[in-house]
């Protein structure tokens, strides 16, 4: 690799010297060789020029699902990581949503080996319990040594409070990160959408916000008792933000994330009974989206995620009650978030979170490995199926007007370019 980025505006709030400066960046053999106001290209140097070119450190997504192994028809690891790269992401955390789901060191080794040599780095989560059945803890220590960055029974709440207590105590021996999905199944019952005016009007069984908040309150009490590191993925309600803010004020080691679609859409879109909008946690109300955005801005919510969840067409194009939860979101993540917040905040949110998983954050500095996302923050367009690189096409953003285009990513001495 020998490329020269010309007149790239750098967005990097942590870099006081280069933030908001326009510079040429010379990359040789995957390493940033030089950053200067003007660099003349050497022979055999590929010069990259784009309209309104901006550059940041490569983006990070803490909640991505593919399909391999078991559901390769939804998405393979190879194509999933290619999709991530084309969407601006150089590092992703892979959910344990496969069949079988990973609960041993050999499972983690398989996932990591399947991603070897690709531009986007994959960091797998392992099951918290064996077969994600909530009965016995999985091989947490062995999976950590094999490369698992956290432990999660994907989208399944830990109903056994004592088991969560034991897990939080046990992982402190090796600095493990425990996930707990925020849902009390007894309160949620057979609900499939947010409980409120819309669910009543449509005659759909509702999930009250209490189902999320009660579980979070329980988990935070346990964390306060045990210590350890807890992550609460994809919160969706205003009161959840308050509960976590209060816990952080107490000094508890807790983090949380929010799915971008829970920031963009409310349950009002359900009036057409389109199952593309069926997700877990469900789309909530305008009050909730406002509180979630405020929580992002003040740091209560640690990071955003696409919560990318490929599903076969036959799993979505059925009656609403029977449809599977989930939407893909990698390809639309930047363009949708960029409609809501200023570009500096957007890039900060898309770049942060690695440290929570023990990963080093890249830097835009001479001598450092090039881990970059190239983009135009101002281009607007209507998102259509042609913008989808995933094998599955279940995106709730089809037809939405988005703002911002990813040109390419540079990572692991590879340059992955959009057409």
């Amino acid at each position: 690799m020998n490329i020269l980025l010309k007149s790239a505006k750098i967005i990097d709030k942590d870099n006081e010297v280069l933030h908001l400066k326009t510079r040429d960046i010379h990359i040789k053999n995957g390493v940033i060789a030089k950053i200067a106001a003007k660099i003349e290209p050497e022979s055999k140097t590929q010069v990259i020029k784009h309209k309104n070119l901006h550059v940041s450190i490569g983006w990070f997504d803490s909640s991505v699902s593919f399909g391999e192994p078991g559901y390769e028809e939804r998405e393979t690891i190879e194509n999933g990581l290619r999709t991530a790269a084309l969407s601006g992401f150089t590092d992703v955390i892979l959910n344990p949503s496969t069949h079988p789901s990973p609960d041993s060191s050999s499972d983690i080794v398989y996932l990591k080996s399947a991603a070897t040599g690709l531009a986007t780095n994959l960091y797998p989560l392992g099951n918290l319990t064996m077969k994600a059945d909530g009965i016995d803890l999985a091989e947490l220590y062995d999976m950590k040594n094999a490369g698992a960055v956290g432990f999660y029974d994907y989208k399944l709440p830990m109903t056994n409070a004592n088991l969560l207590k034991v897990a939080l105590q046990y992982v402190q021996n090796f600095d493990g990160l425990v996930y707990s999905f925020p849902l009390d199944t007894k309160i949620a019952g057979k609900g499939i959408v947010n409980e409120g005016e819309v669910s009543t009007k449509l005659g759909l069984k509702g999930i009250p916000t209490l189902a999320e908040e009660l579980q979070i309150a329980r988990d935070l009490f346990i964390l306060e008792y045990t210590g350890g590191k807890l992550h609460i993925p994809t919160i969706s309600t205003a009161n959840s933000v308050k509960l976590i803010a209060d816990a952080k004020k107490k000094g508890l080691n807790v983090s949380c994330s929010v799915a971008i679609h829970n920031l963009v859409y409310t349950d009002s879109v359900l009036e057409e009974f389109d199952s593309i909008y069926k997700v877990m946690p469900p789309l909530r109300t305008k009050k909730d989206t406002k509180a979630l955005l405020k929580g992002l801005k003040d740091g209560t919510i640690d990071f955003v995620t696409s919560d990318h969840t490929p599903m076969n067409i036959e799993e979505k194009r059925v009656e609403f009650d029977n449809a599977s939860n989930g939407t893909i979101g990698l390809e639309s993540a930047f363009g949708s978030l960029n409609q809501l917040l200023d570009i500096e905040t957007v890039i900060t949110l898309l770049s942060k979170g690695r440290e929570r998983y023990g990963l080093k954050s890249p830097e835009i500095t001479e001598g450092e490995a090039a881990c970059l996302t190239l983009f135009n923050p101002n281009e607007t367009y209507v998102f259509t199926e042609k913008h989808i690189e995933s094998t599955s096409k279940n995106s709730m953003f089809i037809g939405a007007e988005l703002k911002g285009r990813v040109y390419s990513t540079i990572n692991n001495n590879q340059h992955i370019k959009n057409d």
Side-chain angles (χ1 to χ4, degrees):
M1 176 186 288
N2 185 8
I3 61 178
L4 177 62
L5 309 182
K6 293 292 291 182
S7 300
K9 186 172 183 179
I10 298 170
I11 307 294
D12 186 355
K13 279 188 173 182
D14 292 331
N15 192 327
E16 295 180 359
V17 175
L18 293 175
H19 181 50
L20 299 180
K21 300 292 193 303
T22 299
R23 295 287 186 268
D24 290 357
I25 304 174
H26 187 200
I27 301 166
K28 294 183 71 174
N29 301 318
V31 174
I32 299 174
K34 187 176 182 180
I35 303 173
K38 187 174 183 180
I39 302 174
E40 293 298 329
E42 301 172 351
S43 61
K44 297 183 180 179
T45 299
Q46 179 188 2
V47 178
I48 296 176
K49 296 181 178 180
H50 288 297
K51 178 183 178 181
N52 196 31
L53 175 60
H54 286 58
V55 64
S56 70
I57 64 170
W59 300 342
F60 170 79
D61 194 334
S62 65
S63 179
V64 169
S65 297
F66 296 143
E68 183 181 354
Y71 304 113
E72 287 85 354
E73 72 281 2
R74 296 179 184 172
E75 192 71 276
T76 63
I77 287 175
E78 182 177 2
N79 192 66
L81 291 178
R82 175 182 171 272
T83 299
L86 291 170
S87 304
F89 295 92
T90 57
D91 299 271
V92 298
I93 303 295
L94 182 67
N95 290 315
S97 56
T98 55
H99 182 72
S101 52
D103 51 23
S104 69
S105 58
S106 60
D107 295 329
I108 299 299
V109 169
Y110 168 80
L111 292 170
K112 289 184 69 67
S113 63
T116 301
L118 300 177
T120 293
N121 301 314
L122 180 150
Y123 301 97
L125 297 168
N127 283 354
L128 183 58
T129 65
M130 295 297 294
K131 299 181 180 179
D133 60 11
I135 298 175
D136 298 304
L137 291 180
E139 299 174 9
L140 307 186
Y141 180 70
D142 289 345
M143 286 194 290
K144 171 78 171 182
N145 287 338
V149 295
F151 310 105
Y152 181 25
D153 289 352
Y154 177 66
K155 300 279 186 178
L156 297 173
M158 181 63 71
T159 56
N160 186 332
N162 186 61
L163 196 58
L164 178 63
K165 174 181 76 73
V166 171
L168 284 166
Q169 292 171 327
Y170 175 58
V171 299
Q172 292 177 52
N173 296 310
F174 49 89
D175 196 34
L177 177 64
V178 171
Y179 274 58
S180 181
F181 186 67
L183 182 71
D184 184 307
T185 55
K186 298 296 184 183
I187 299 292
K190 295 181 179 179
I192 54 175
V193 299
N194 178 60
E195 181 184 85
E197 182 180 334
V198 173
S199 66
T200 302
K201 178 180 176 182
L202 301 180
L204 296 172
K205 294 185 178 68
I207 301 174
T209 59
L210 177 66
E212 177 172 306
E213 296 151 4
L214 193 62
Q215 191 82 355
I216 289 175
R218 185 207 71 170
D219 293 349
L220 292 173
F221 270 117
I222 293 171
L223 179 65
E224 187 172 10
Y225 176 81
T226 61
K229 292 166 60 176
L230 178 68
H231 180 66
I232 302 173
T234 58
I235 67 171
S236 68
T237 81
N239 204 36
S240 294
V241 178
K242 183 178 184 302
L243 288 167
I244 292 168
D246 291 343
K248 288 187 172 185
K249 287 176 184 175
K250 289 182 179 180
L252 300 187
N253 193 346
V254 59
S255 57
C256 65
S257 64
V258 61
I260 293 172
H261 53 256
N262 280 100
L263 300 170
V264 175
Y265 292 105
T266 67
D267 57 0
S268 63
V269 299
L270 298 173
E271 295 193 357
E272 299 298 322
F273 289 94
D274 190 341
S275 61
I276 201 69
Y277 297 107
K278 187 180 180 185
V279 288
M280 182 58 66
L283 301 176
R284 302 288 188 181
T285 67
K286 192 65 177 177
K287 174 188 173 184
D288 296 304
T289 60
K290 286 182 178 178
L292 293 166
L293 281 167
K294 183 175 182 293
L296 274 175
K297 292 175 182 177
D298 66 24
T300 300
I301 300 176
D302 297 271
F303 28 88
V304 296
T305 172
S306 69
D307 204 26
H308 182 80
T309 309
M311 285 291 167
N312 302 331
I313 191 170
E314 60 268 21
E315 295 175 277
K316 296 297 282 186
R317 289 192 180 174
V318 293
E319 294 84 356
F320 197 96
D321 281 15
N322 299 323
S324 298
N325 291 307
T327 179
I328 59 172
L330 282 169
E331 299 95 326
S332 55
F334 174 49
S336 52
L337 193 62
N338 197 33
Q339 289 276 44
L340 299 174
L341 300 162
D342 66 273
I343 188 60
E344 291 182 53
T345 302
V346 168
I347 299 306
T348 298
L349 291 172
L350 290 175
S351 304
K352 68 186 295 194
R354 291 174 172 89
E355 292 81 2
R356 186 61 171 168
Y357 298 88
L359 307 174
K360 182 180 182 295
S361 187
E363 299 176 17
I364 303 179
T365 306
E366 292 179 2
E368 289 287 323
C371 177
L372 304 172
T373 299
L374 283 60
F375 58 96
N376 178 351
N378 296 333
E379 183 175 334
T380 59
Y381 60 98
V382 175
F383 188 75
T384 66
E385 194 167 309
K386 75 176 184 179
H387 296 106
I388 296 176
E389 300 290 341
S390 306
T391 302
S392 296
K393 309 301 179 186
N394 56 305
S395 171
M396 70 167 66
F397 289 92
I398 291 177
E401 183 174 292
L402 304 186
K403 179 185 177 185
R405 176 189 176 193
V406 174
Y407 287 128
S408 60
T409 52
I410 299 172
N411 192 41
N412 294 336
N413 200 21
Q414 298 179 54
H415 186 201
I416 308 299
K417 298 174 284 188
N418 275 298
D419 295 332

